[in-house]
Amino acid sequence: MSFLTPVFLLGGLAVALPVLFHLIRRTTRRRTPFSSLMFLTASPPRLTQRSRLEHILLLLLRCAVVCLLALAFARPFFRKAVPDTSVSAARRVVVLVDTSASMRRANLWTAAREQAQSIVRRAAPTDQVAVFTFDRQVNPVVSFEQWTAAGPGRRVALVNGKLAALSPGWSATHLGQALIQAAETLADAGGKQALGPGQIVLISDLQEGSRLEPLQGYEWPKNVRVSVQPLKSRPGSNAALQLVSESEEAAPQAGAAIRVRVTNAADSRRDQFRVGWAQPDGRGFAGTPTEVYVPPGQSRVVPLALPQAAGSQGARPSGDAQAAGPARYTGPERILLQGDDEDFDNTVFVVPPETQRLSVLYCGSGSEKDPAQPLYFLRRAFQETRRQAVQVVIRQPGADAGRNPALPALSAADLESPTLFVVTDPLPEALAGALRSQVAAGKTALFVLRSGAPANTLATMLGLQRLAVEEASLKDYAILGEIEFRHPLFAPFADPRFNDFSRIHFWKHRRLDAGSIPSARPLAKFDSGDAALIEVPVGRGRVLILTSGWQPEDSQFALSTKFVPLLYAMLEQSGAPAPLPTQHHVGDIIPITPAGLGDKSGAVVFAPDGSRFELPAGEASFSRTVTPGIYTLASAGAARRFAVNLDAAESRTAPLPADELERLGVPLAPQETAVAREAQLKVRLQDAELEDRQRLWRLCLIAALGVLLAETWVAARITV
Amino acid sequence: MRTTTSKPEIRSPNPEGGTPPFAGQGPATAGGPHSGAQAVSLIDPRTLMSIRNLELRARVVVEGFWSGLHRSPYHGFSVEFTEYRQYSPDDDPRYLDWRVFARSDRYFIKKFEEETNLRCYVLADRSRSMAYGSTGCTKAEYAATLAATLAYFLYMQGDAVGVLTFDEENRDYLPARHRTGHLRQVMLALEKPALGRGTSLAAPLERIVEMVRRRSLMMLISDFLAPIGRLESDLLALSACGHEVIVFQVLDPAELDLSFQEPAMFEDAESGRTLFIDPRSARKEYQRKLEAHCQSLRTACQRLGIACERLTTDRPLELALFGFLRQRMQHKRGPRRMARSKVGL
């Protein structure tokens, strides 16, 4: 028997009252008329054994009345097993467990694992459950098929075993993509057989840095709900350390320094931190750290001087024909932050950008100070940046008259180290042959035809007997009418914002028959149809022929915005690899640039944890950047180092606003407490309905009335 | 020779009272032989009360009483002239001596022997406390029967009988008369039920003192279950007027010994007040107080020379009549000296 209002059963305690009154009752209701009470005084109460025994039935009847009344008010009813009318279909559940870097905070992963295990334990035998982990990408732990194959007795152990082997990584939280993938998985699974609604159980710390953009505009499948199980970390102070990225095109600054940003969380209780270069093992500072004061919710940029200035290995003075290789940094590579409670985002690995030193050999006459000469513009086109320092080496070819005695003469040795050759004057035969060898090795030579004089040198370069170059006659000026934007040289200009070359006027140009040159490919033509820029492959390199000079006498080319980018493209084409970034984030795909055209050698990557990855030849990228640290990529005899750091978004550990997911259209399932409350309400309503149908309180009241009548009758009989 | 109507003389073998010489002993009467006296069986009061008519009931008692004495209680109105007295307004004009009037032109009454008969007043308590009874006969019935018996007896003796009933105040009053139909009036007054909510002894006594100037016999019948603080002074006033007072206290046997067993809520008959009484524990104290109350009544009466007779409703009325006659005899001998000496004090 159950009760709708069990609190009224406390009224049954009033059964003690008749017992009490019965024990202490002193007066009899029997009245005896007497003539006068003037000689009588009231007698004290007297209990006799005889009177108790006589009234035991009366006492029982009175107690029964009290009990029946209490029972009636408590609204008793018999709870029958109510058949559950709702057909409970098997559920499909995807448990999505966050394994991003923010989950490395204290106790979060343990709580996540326990939550996942709890959900799996509570799954009904007919439910289908899949467990995925996610950070930057979604990783299946237990699929639906594995769950079904395991059988009801082994499923929990299967999931527990898999989860025990997992731990949070270092990647960012791509929550939106993970939810979409889970929803698609549920939608696909639901289409195969008649199953119940789908549910995604999200176990995550739901930090602010989670990426949710993919959810915008995503159309959720029907009958898929998301149940969020947020994890709360222990309260504490967290400050994050990020490297402030500098523009690679910026000019190198004197007194090289690395800038880091210290960001203090809004709920932090600390504001004093220490930042500095760390020991190689990362356990302490190498040197004196910098004290930083950062109020909660704010950030500060701290410059840190490089402990060892970046120098070039075997660097030589400027102007030397032997260009130097890339400068190598050999100082500390780890910056440490101390003073907060969470240390997962307190380390930044730094590989200072190496300045790539290249040289361009100018073979021609003229003064670099004369603006009417091509050298003047060439010298100024290549500016030194943080990533690249281009040295223009000037040599005068030949001992012709008019040779500037101040400039050194060109020798064969000068041809070995430059990456790009710019030839404006004819070269001696021997040097032309040497140049051809260099070009054939993979370099690029740009012949700028200020006149037809370098025709022979050009013929030698191209392996021709003779090359006819004549002056074109122009009415006013020529403009570039056709441009091969698919060629890597002009590909950067393919954007409509940059593809207008018609403003460059060419007052003079030479006419050269590209058809007479084998394998020649005009990359640009004048509006007259004459070739403006011709590419001729020579061995592994190329010869570019510009049929006009860029000095003002010939054209406005040097004065246009296309001049410098085109020169840099030529430089890059000549085998100088583009400066690659040295700072990456966990999960980034690192491109692998081959040493040169036709390079067939593979690469080897050394990870910070000591593991080694052999990449096959032709592999264009490396994607195993799963751990922060310094990686080394060795290919074609050259080694390149790069740093992988934590995504800055992972340090934004404040929880997402509660309605953020809903705002993005994610259909949330009601919370368990709400479900439980609803279930309780349903049970209560069912009980009320049952009680209303049975109405046992009426029987209790009628019984109480009957007992009361009996009590009255018995009491009257006793007093008579 | 003057013939006087003499009252029968009752001689009790026990001069202090006690059982009258019934049942064969027979009284010794003046001038009359007593032989073959018929035994008088005492009538149980409960049986007596079954006679519903009060006058008949009284007659049964009286005639039963006299039948044992072989004497007729009835005497005619023997006229025996003794002397004259001056006429007063309440005298019966039938007894005017016209010869004396013719001679003296003044009214004189012939004083006969019968005029020396008593004026008797029965003062009967009709309060609710008198309505109590545990023997099948209430005190009121017993008192009414006693009053009726005395009135009947005296009336048959030729005495004038009057009645005054009272409870918390005076109710019915009939002056003492001896005429046709008067006894019937007295019986009717005595038959009225006892309904009074209280008992005031002062009221009737004050009224009697005011109304009755001539010496009379006052028979006060009550249970006296009321404060008797003023009773002595009221009785004194009555005695001082020359009246002869006899007090009859009528009680129920249950009132004497509180013969109840079970505790109960005892309800006062007059006030309606209730008390939880356990008779077993209250009996002793009750009897002590009752006895003290009755003793104070007796003491007060003794001081005034007033006869006080206690009767219980289970006692045959014949014995009450005997006690009354005995008292009368004792009074003729010497109660006056006591009253006078008391008054003198």
Side-chain angles (χ1 to χ4, degrees), chain A residues 508-580:
Chain A
K508 297 178 184 177
H509 71 86
R510 282 84 237 172
R511 186 179 290 121
L512 180 64
D513 183 12
S516 64
I517 304 172
S519 307
R521 179 184 173 192
L523 300 181
K525 290 181 180 178
F526 293 111
D527 54 352
S528 60
D530 294 331
L533 182 65
I534 304 168
E535 180 190 43
V536 182
V538 176
R540 288 191 296 141
R542 63 189 57 81
V543 172
L544 297 170
I545 306 170
L546 185 62
T547 59
S548 173
W550 57 57
Q551 70 279 8
E553 182 189 6
D554 276 11
S555 68
Q556 296 175 319
F557 186 47
L559 301 174
S560 73
T561 57
K562 320 296 183 190
F563 177 64
V564 173
L566 201 59
L567 283 179
Y568 272 98
M570 288 178 187
L571 192 62
E572 191 175 322
Q573 284 284 301
S574 68
L580 295 173

Side-chain angles (χ1 to χ4, degrees), chain B residues 213-233:
Chain B
R213 302 287 180 180
R214 292 190 179 180
R215 291 172 51 198
S216 305
L217 171 65
M218 302 294 178
M219 293 170 286
L220 180 57
I221 306 175
S222 172
D223 55 7
F224 292 97
L225 295 181
I228 55 174
R230 282 185 54 179
L231 181 64
E232 187 172 352
S233 59

Side-chain angles (χ1 to χ4, degrees), chain A residues 30-32 34-35 43 46, chain B residues 255 262 265 267 269 276 278:
Chain A
R30 185 169 55 206
R31 281 181 179 250
T32 300
F34 199 61
S35 53
S43 298
R46 182 169 65 91
Chain B
E255 288 173 331
E262 293 299 323
M265 296 298 292
E267 185 177 0
F276 174 75
D278 182 7

Side-chain angles (χ1 to χ4, degrees), chain B residues 5 27 49 54 56 74 87 129 132 179 198 221-222 231 237 265 268 272 286 288 295 316:
Chain B
T5 304
M49 299 307 157
L54 185 61
L56 181 60
Y74 302 122
Y87 172 79
S129 63
Y132 177 75
R179 60 174 67 161
I221 306 175
S222 172
L231 181 64
M265 296 298 292
D268 188 300
Y286 168 81
R288 187 189 67 77
Q295 183 58 41

Side-chain angles (χ1 to χ4, degrees), chain A residues 16 55 63 97 100 104 126 174 203 294 360 387 429 446 451 541 570 581 593 630 646 673 705:
Chain A
H55 299 151
C63 292
V97 185
S100 64
R104 299 182 79 92
T126 53
H174 288 211
I203 302 173
V294 184
V360 174
R387 298 301 310 278
E429 192 71 23
L446 172 66
S451 64
M570 288 178 187
T593 308
I630 306 293
L646 194 63
T673 53
L705 280 173

Side-chain angles (χ1 to χ4, degrees), chain B residues 116-187:
Chain B
T116 59
N117 289 355
L118 292 173
R119 276 189 171 75
C120 306
Y121 282 88
V122 177
L123 310 178
D125 182 0
R126 306 306 293 169
S127 64
R128 284 199 182 211
S129 63
M130 294 295 290
Y132 177 75
S134 67
T135 60
C137 159
T138 66
K139 291 187 292 184
E141 290 169 343
Y142 192 91
T145 306
L146 175 63
T149 302
L150 293 173
Y152 187 84
F153 178 79
L154 292 169
Y155 192 85
M156 290 301 134
Q157 288 285 330
D159 293 327
V161 176
V163 70
L164 171 65
T165 61
F166 65 93
D167 40 44
E168 70 270 17
E169 56 188 42
N170 296 327
R171 294 297 171 189
D172 298 312
Y173 171 72
L174 290 171
R177 290 282 186 269
H178 188 277
R179 60 174 67 161
T180 304
H182 184 74
L183 184 64
R184 181 76 191 124
Q185 298 293 325
V186 168
M187 296 301 172

